[in-house]
Amino acid sequence: MSKIYETVIGLEVHVELATKTKIFCSCSTAFGGAPNTHTCPVCTGMPGALPVLNRQVVEYAMAVGIATNCKITQYCKFDRKNYFYPDNPQNYQISQLYLPICRDGGIEIETAAGKKTVGIHEIHMEEDAGKLVHDEWEDVSIVDYNRSGVPLIEIVSEPDMRSAEEVIAYLEKLRLIIQYLGASDCKLNEGSMRADVNLSVREAGAKEFGTRTEMKNLNSFKAIARAVEGERARQIELLEEGKKIIQETRRWDDNKETSHTMRSKEDAKDYRYFPEPDLVPVVINDEWIAEVRSRQPEMRQEKMARYQTQYGLPAYDAGILTGDKTFADLFEAAVEICGKPKKVSNWIMVETIRLLKENGMSPDQIQFSPENLAKIVRLSDEGTVTNTVAKEVFELVFLKDIDPEAYIKEHGLSTVSDEGALRAAVEQVIRENPQSVEDYHNGKEKAIGFLVGQTMRAMKGKANPAMVNQLLRELLQAI
Amino acid sequence: MANIISDDTIEYVGILAKLELKEEEKARAKKDMSEMLDYIDKLNELDTDGVEPMSHIFPVSNVFREDIVTNTDGSKDTLLNAPKQKDGGFMVPKTIGS
Ligand SMILES: [Zn+2]
């Protein structure tokens, strides 16, 4: 009989904070600048350059700690982690080992297996490294230090997760909390949120943990889920063969769905941490914590309740809209402009989600403005355009953020309510579809639907549907 | 000398520091390191019970910057230190084997 194994998973999540400047210098953190344009002596590790801590980094870290039920370390400081790599110009990274800013928290997750709390061991502040691009033509790498010194927090969970499903639930919850706080945009594909997975397996019921491995290079939730499954299977196979698991860092290759070992013995993991002499300690008094706490924005649960009471939305709508920060922001801004919450909700929940799926996009890739969404809602609600036309125009809003009002005017897409024009169109449809007319007279109500459809088609979707219906019935009676 | 530095230790420290030492340099480094450790042992003789560990030599805390961009394009100065450059970046030996 084969053994039953339990998977034990802990995560180290790095999040790039949404500050304007780097953690220790006044260089910009803007994404996509030309190589090395956002650099100075501090973030390129010039001798004698001195770091000065960005206050906003401390406040974001505190905000995340408070929202994840951590204790704030009221006397905290930085440490030096020493290693050599071309992306690290100082030959050390300023991080926190001994007194990280937050400790002993946790968040509740919910999966098919039920609710549980995943503990947060600690959150610490540190600086990001530069970026290495491997040249395709020559056997060299090119280094860009624009990311060097960009502030990160590393959120270290307890080994409390037992499945890929729990890992994803934890990450989604964490991401939502941080996005609501505005502390980061948490885009996995752009690297502003990165997760390393520590995983071990043990026989069900065993008290001791098995030997764990650390998996890196995971840049989507799907890749993380596949890596968890893949590593679990690899470790179980080794144990079944009576082999040992080696504690090591492995790099996940999502295309091949396998991992391979990353570090050689030459690079021993001995970082020789010591207290950072160039930075003074950070003392956080009760007043400061209270101040940050009082500024915490509305979180998902409160927002969900408010959408139901203030806007009268069904719980289902409120759940979906608040499940993604982009949806919630878009919804609130559009309602502010047009004042029609349920209509705005429908446009987001039906058309927007459909188009996101069709285009293989995630909500954070939405390009259109709440102004243009509000216009579509108003134009279709007022009957300026028919539903059909509104949906077509909305596709262009979704893809290119066009101004729907101007577009409708320019292309003459307004609803036709001119009785003469509609009567002519209906008469022609009746002439061209004698079979349907006969069916109608033989009591087939459905036939009228077909004739309405044909008229709408002839009018390119612009005909006032109520008038078409009425005219059709009137003219059919007359036959 | 109370502290003896082994060949393995000097080899390991060399790897960590990315230094290749000649035999005579290793011998000298071993002697220096054991003397440093002896000195630390001397400091350890002091009774520090009840003394708070010091985290910084200055009695100062909470030195912050506000989050405002004041630095402009620093690429020219930064790249002055590049032995080789390409496309605005530092050119270094390839870092990842396939
Ligand atoms: Zn800088």
Side-chain angles (χ1 to χ4, degrees), chain A residues 210-470:
Chain A
T211 305
R212 68 184 158 86
T213 58
E214 184 182 1
M215 195 110 54
K216 288 184 183 286
N217 193 40
L218 303 164
N219 42 29
S220 72
F221 284 155
K222 280 180 190 150
I224 291 167
R226 280 192 288 264
V228 166
E229 298 298 343
E231 183 59 11
R232 171 188 154 85
R234 190 188 72 89
Q235 290 191 12
I236 290 174
E237 199 179 306
L238 285 173
L239 293 178
E240 292 277 301
E241 289 168 1
K243 290 180 186 158
K244 274 211 171 108
I245 288 151
I246 303 161
Q247 183 164 349
E248 61 184 354
T249 305
R250 301 180 66 83
R251 185 183 169 85
W252 177 252
D253 185 335
D254 202 43
N255 293 322
K256 294 182 189 149
E257 293 199 27
T258 56
S259 62
H260 55 85
T261 185
M262 241 175 103
R263 297 227 161 95
S264 63
K265 278 178 198 154
E266 281 282 280
D267 302 298
K269 237 187 173 179
D270 183 343
Y271 295 123
R272 292 147 295 142
Y273 280 94
F274 62 85
E276 171 56 56
D278 289 343
L279 288 162
V280 298
V282 178
V283 178
I284 302 169
N285 59 21
D286 294 344
E287 289 76 48
W288 196 4
I289 296 174
E291 199 189 308
V292 171
R293 192 185 292 278
S294 74
R295 276 190 268 127
Q296 295 286 79
E298 184 184 44
M299 301 302 276
R300 188 185 184 191
Q301 291 302 324
E302 301 148 316
K303 218 183 252 296
M304 248 166 89
R306 182 167 64 84
Y307 282 10
Q308 292 171 64
T309 51
Q310 182 184 345
Y311 299 125
L313 288 188
Y316 180 73
D317 291 40
I320 293 196
L321 294 175
T322 57
D324 192 286
K325 179 75 170 16
T326 314
F327 286 159
D329 288 347
L330 184 63
F331 169 76
E332 287 181 34
V335 170
E336 178 79 18
I337 299 164
C338 72
K340 298 189 186 310
K342 182 59 185 146
K343 295 265 159 61
V344 172
S345 169
N346 289 348
W347 278 96
I348 294 176
M349 300 217 315
V350 183
E351 291 305 308
T352 306
I353 289 180
R354 177 179 68 80
L355 289 166
L356 284 171
K357 259 190 204 139
E358 275 181 25
N359 290 282
M361 288 161 64
S362 56
D364 58 15
Q365 291 170 292
I366 285 177
Q367 300 289 331
F368 61 90
S369 65
E371 285 76 16
N372 287 333
L373 172 62
K375 276 187 185 172
I376 276 285
V377 171
R378 182 170 52 76
L379 292 165
S380 78
D381 195 50
E382 284 170 351
T384 308
V385 288
T386 61
N387 269 336
T388 318
V389 171
K391 282 181 191 171
E392 280 171 21
V393 175
F394 181 69
E395 286 209 30
L396 295 170
V397 171
F398 179 90
L399 294 170
K400 299 177 198 157
D401 196 26
I402 57 151
D403 175 347
E405 198 160 28
Y407 186 86
I408 285 161
K409 208 174 262 176
E410 193 184 321
H411 292 81
L413 296 174
S414 299
T415 306
V416 177
S417 300
D418 173 61
E419 200 184 321
L422 291 179
R423 188 177 287 273
V426 169
E427 280 171 353
Q428 185 165 354
V429 166
I430 287 176
R431 267 200 305 279
E432 286 168 0
N433 296 281
Q435 184 60 48
S436 298
V437 173
E438 202 185 316
D439 289 349
Y440 175 77
H441 284 299
N442 290 335
K444 280 192 188 164
E445 256 308 294
K446 267 191 191 164
I448 200 153
F450 174 76
L451 293 169
V452 170
Q454 289 303 107
T455 314
M456 292 304 278
R457 207 168 137 187
M459 299 289 295
K460 296 197 171 75
K462 296 185 290 180
N464 180 326
M467 286 181 71
V468 168
N469 229 303
Q470 198 198 334

Side-chain angles (χ1 to χ4, degrees), chain A residues 22 24-28 38-44 145 148-149, chain B residues 71:
Chain A
K22 294 186 178 181
F24 300 123
C25 63
S26 301
C27 288
S28 169
H38 304 157
T39 58
C40 74
V42 174
C43 55
T44 52
Y145 291 116
S148 172
Chain B
N71 288 348

Side-chain angles (χ1 to χ4, degrees), chain A residues 21-81:
Chain A
T21 63
K22 294 186 178 181
I23 183 167
F24 300 123
C25 63
S26 301
C27 288
S28 169
T29 55
F31 198 78
N36 293 301
T37 48
H38 304 157
T39 58
C40 74
V42 174
C43 55
T44 52
M46 291 299 146
L50 287 173
V52 185
L53 181 58
N54 183 342
R55 179 195 300 271
Q56 187 62 52
V57 172
V58 182
E59 298 212 340
Y60 277 148
M62 282 163 73
V64 175
I66 290 168
T68 54
N69 311 300
C70 290
K71 289 191 195 86
I72 303 295
T73 310
Q74 295 191 261
Y75 185 87
C76 85
K77 62 184 187 65
F78 287 90
D79 302 292
R80 242 181 227 195
K81 178 181 180 178

Side-chain angles (χ1 to χ4, degrees), chain A residues 153-222:
Chain A
I153 49 172
E154 180 174 341
I155 304 158
V156 183
S157 85
E158 298 290 355
D160 287 345
M161 288 157 277
R162 296 289 176 269
S163 65
E165 198 194 0
E166 288 184 1
V167 168
I168 302 305
Y170 168 77
L171 284 170
E172 282 179 341
K173 181 81 179 270
L174 198 59
R175 180 174 67 166
L176 199 60
I177 290 170
I178 297 169
Q179 285 176 337
Y180 267 91
L181 292 169
S184 173
D185 56 13
C186 293
K187 292 186 180 179
L188 272 91
N189 56 345
E190 285 181 13
S192 59
M193 185 180 198
R194 316 192 270 262
D196 299 337
V197 174
N198 288 301
L199 186 149
S200 63
V201 297
R202 61 178 169 187
E203 264 188 73
K207 284 205 179 73
E208 302 278 308
F209 288 136
T211 305
R212 68 184 158 86
T213 58
E214 184 182 1
M215 195 110 54
K216 288 184 183 286
N217 193 40
L218 303 164
N219 42 29
S220 72
F221 284 155
K222 280 180 190 150

